[in-house]
Amino acid sequence: EVEMKKRPLTILDCLSAFTKTDFFSGYRCEKCSEQKDSKGNAIQYLGRDAAKRDNLRFVPKVLVLHLKRYAGWGKNMYKISTKVINNMRMNITPFCAPMNAKTGGGGEQ
């Protein structure tokens, strides 16, 4: 999540926060945690460390963004008042997934 700052943020700051790698410890894959041995008994699966990173699949001609304007939950909800500067032209290829033969992802234009 973008750190609350007094200075205005740019769209590139927001994309950088969105594509930041998140780390998890004790992650349990549903498929792996439901495995059974040859007798049908559940195999104990303790989980493992994992990482997740969201990227854009390709560079679109027009990028539409929805900025999160509220944070918190229930009675603790508050409005995020940090200004975001819109750069009309920017290079977003650093936020795109690497070229992948299976998915066709990458920085194509």
Side-chain angles (χ1 to χ4, degrees):
E1 201 166 292
V2 175
E3 183 182 323
M4 301 299 260
K5 298 179 180 181
K6 295 284 182 191
R7 72 168 179 84
L9 296 172
T10 65
I11 296 292
L12 295 177
D13 292 330
C14 296
L15 284 171
S16 181
F18 175 75
T19 59
K20 178 180 71 77
T21 302
D22 292 320
F23 296 95
F24 305 93
S25 61
Y27 172 75
R28 295 181 62 154
C29 169
E30 290 179 25
K31 185 177 180 181
C32 298
S33 62
E34 293 178 2
Q35 291 183 356
K36 299 184 187 294
D37 62 18
S38 60
K39 296 180 182 179
N41 300 319
I43 297 173
Q44 184 177 8
Y45 183 77
L46 300 176
R48 60 179 35 167
D49 292 342
K52 175 187 82 85
R53 182 172 181 209
D54 293 319
N55 288 314
L56 301 174
R57 190 168 175 183
F58 60 91
V59 178
K61 288 184 180 182
V62 176
L63 178 65
V64 178
L65 300 171
H66 176 90
L67 301 177
K68 181 177 175 182
R69 300 308 301 170
Y70 291 90
W73 188 257
K75 293 181 181 179
N76 297 321
M77 186 172 273
Y78 59 93
K79 184 173 182 177
I80 299 170
S81 58
T82 305
K83 291 185 179 191
V84 177
I85 298 168
N86 179 8
N87 307 359
M88 294 306 286
R89 290 187 168 266
M90 61 189 109
N91 178 13
I92 62 170
T93 53
F95 308 107
C96 291
M99 193 62 161
N100 184 324
K102 286 185 181 178
T103 63
E108 306 109 16
Q109 296 208 17

